[in-house]
Amino acid sequence: MDLENKTIIITGASSGIGATAATLFARAGANLVLGARRSSELERVAAEARRQGARAVAVPGDVTDPDYADALVGLAQKDFGGLDGAFNNAGIVGDMLPASEMSVENWNDVIATNLTSAFYAAKAQIPALLHRGRGALVFTSSFVGVSNGGLSGMAAYAASKAGIIGLVKSLASDHAEAGIRVNALLPGGTVTPAGGEGNPEALAFIASLHPMKRMAAPAEIAEAALFLLSDRATFVTGSAMVVDGGISVRLA
Ligand code: NAP
């Protein structure tokens, strides 16, 4: 199995891509430390991972708190003896407005949740991987980090997701020699609560922007995260892997 006996943190695990990844990684043999704010949803995802045969703990918290990043790593070390990787995936879209109409609060919230949290995660996780002498980190960016794909009002979100790609390339360069791989995953529109699930008009519009004329299922994104975290990707680092039905190459 691709993640057999590997201990992996997943943030944003209470729904969407992260929840699907938890089930997939559980089937691949991982021990899981699952993070998000909503404890009952997170516990439900952890219970499903355990049903798949994994050891899984739910650790509710807020990724904008640097102590939470440390707590997730501490738990991996205490309960499972160390950390092998993380899928740093929590994120929000925020208000979809042009920057000139966007509140400072919304800008700060999106940057804190999507980008500053990625720095906190790296700062907590990398020492644990250095201690292990190997490891892999995946950060969820977005196609919006390289192209808005025809969507309007993405100023804060696009800045946060482009920032993740810059952070990932620096981390990959800094730690390649130490055996730590770091990659960004750039999903296209994906059918999740954040992706418009439950709003058929929004889903149809987003699907129409993709050259494939459909959105991704969360499992199609989680499979790519699994690949990047596994030993099938041992020469892959510093990449910004698009899994986006072609939306980032079409000039809208
Ligand atoms: P989702 O179902 O809304 O999941 C977002 C996850 O992030 C939830 O588990 C949420 O949990 C968690 N989260 C949000 N703010 C948090 C905070 N402050 N602290 C801790 N956890 C927090 O959406 P998704 O589509 O699966 O999104 C996953 C990632 O994919 C995000 O980074 C998103 O930007 C990215 N992405 C999505 C799409 C798409 O079309 N769906 C496309 C490209 C990229 P709680 O609410 O329980 O905290």
Side-chain angles (χ1 to χ4, degrees):
M1 290 191 287
D2 282 334
L3 298 178
E4 185 135 36
N5 293 325
K6 288 191 194 286
T7 297
I8 307 286
I9 292 169
I10 305 176
T11 67
S14 62
S15 76
I17 294 166
T20 300
T23 303
L24 193 69
F25 294 6
R27 287 193 198 126
N31 305 317
L32 295 172
V33 177
L34 303 175
R37 291 165 301 184
R38 288 168 295 164
S39 54
S40 56
E41 282 81 352
L42 200 57
E43 193 43 63
R44 185 183 51 74
V45 173
E48 177 57 31
R50 287 191 286 269
R51 264 194 297 281
Q52 301 293 332
R55 295 165 70 201
V57 287
V59 190
D62 191 320
V63 294
T64 63
D65 176 358
D67 293 341
Y68 181 53
D70 289 331
L72 292 170
V73 171
L75 216 107
Q77 290 171 323
K78 181 171 83 59
D79 281 18
F80 302 123
L83 183 70
D84 297 289
F87 182 28
N88 295 303
N89 165 74
I92 55 170
V93 178
D95 296 339
M96 291 182 68
L97 292 167
S100 57
E101 295 168 28
M102 186 177 289
S103 70
V104 171
E105 289 72 22
N106 179 70
W107 172 271
N108 287 339
D109 192 24
V110 172
I111 298 297
T113 305
N114 295 359
L115 180 57
T116 309
S117 73
F119 163 67
Y120 294 156
K123 193 168 160 54
Q125 292 160 6
I126 284 184
L129 300 183
L130 289 172
H131 184 71
R132 206 66 147 182
R134 63 187 154 79
L137 301 178
V138 175
F139 291 82
T140 307
S141 172
S142 168
F143 72 95
V144 176
V146 290
S147 151
N148 69 13
L151 292 168
S152 307
M154 303 305 285
Y157 187 74
S160 71
K161 294 301 187 179
I164 286 175
I165 296 170
L167 173 66
V168 158
K169 289 181 184 289
S170 288
L171 294 171
S173 163
D174 286 345
H175 303 294
E177 267 186 75
I180 299 170
R181 298 183 300 100
V182 188
N183 291 288
L185 180 57
L186 281 57
T190 307
V191 182
T192 68
E197 195 174 43
N199 180 344
E201 263 178 41
L203 292 178
F205 171 66
I206 297 168
S208 76
L209 299 173
H210 291 70
M212 285 189 176
K213 299 299 172 202
R214 69 173 181 88
M215 294 175 71
E220 293 178 285
I221 309 303
E223 286 283 0
L226 171 57
F227 166 73
L228 290 170
L229 287 168
S230 78
D231 288 344
R232 291 175 187 247
T234 45
F235 205 53
V236 185
T237 197
S239 77
M241 180 188 276
V242 292
V243 183
D244 72 350
I247 192 169
S248 60
V249 294
R250 169 151 304 171
L251 295 177

